[in-house]
Amino acid sequence: MVVRPAFALLMLVAVAGCASERHPQARPTRSLVIPTPSPSPTGRPRLARPGTECGQVTTVTGGRATVQVVRGRTSCVEAMSVFEKYNDPDTPAEGTAGLVVIGHWTCGTRGTITTCTSKIATIRTHR
């Protein structure tokens, strides 16, 4: 059998490459771990009493207004959420009073005061 030198060299390189190649170790499979949300340190939001000022929101006109619980009890988290939604430019309001229903709250504006009422509480913003 006649073997050409170039072919023989190519075969030696191929065999040498295979001999030096390590077999890949089996990689451990990664499993997707979804963390469990930690419970809130305070549990349920605390209810605010009448007269409690919960914070400030930016009004539709760009001003700042203070959110306050007027009657009944609700959480400041809910009060702030209602007024943030009310002042969102994408929330459609009806009439000159800007009437909007947000969840179980009915909101409207008279002058510079916006008031939202539910069966159990009243909240408002004032400047």
Side-chain angles (χ1 to χ4, degrees), residues 40-58:
S40 170
T42 59
R44 291 184 176 188
R46 266 194 293 177
L47 296 178
R49 296 180 183 277
T52 302
E53 291 188 349
C54 297
Q56 290 195 330
V57 293
T58 302

Side-chain angles (χ1 to χ4, degrees), residues 2-91:
V2 178
V3 178
R4 295 186 179 168
F7 182 71
L9 183 60
L10 184 60
M11 291 303 286
L12 285 173
V13 171
V15 170
C18 289
S20 68
E21 183 180 85
R22 294 183 181 166
H23 293 286
Q25 294 180 351
R27 292 183 181 170
T29 58
R30 288 185 174 176
S31 60
L32 178 62
V33 177
I34 300 173
T36 305
S38 58
S40 170
T42 59
R44 291 184 176 188
R46 266 194 293 177
L47 296 178
R49 296 180 183 277
T52 302
E53 291 188 349
C54 297
Q56 290 195 330
V57 293
T58 302
T59 64
V60 175
T61 60
R64 301 291 288 166
T66 302
V67 175
Q68 181 181 34
V69 177
V70 178
R71 179 189 63 83
R73 290 177 64 175
T74 187
S75 70
C76 279
V77 170
E78 183 172 12
M80 295 295 290
S81 176
V82 168
F83 281 110
E84 286 169 1
K85 180 70 175 168
Y86 181 82
N87 289 300
D88 183 345
D90 293 333
T91 301

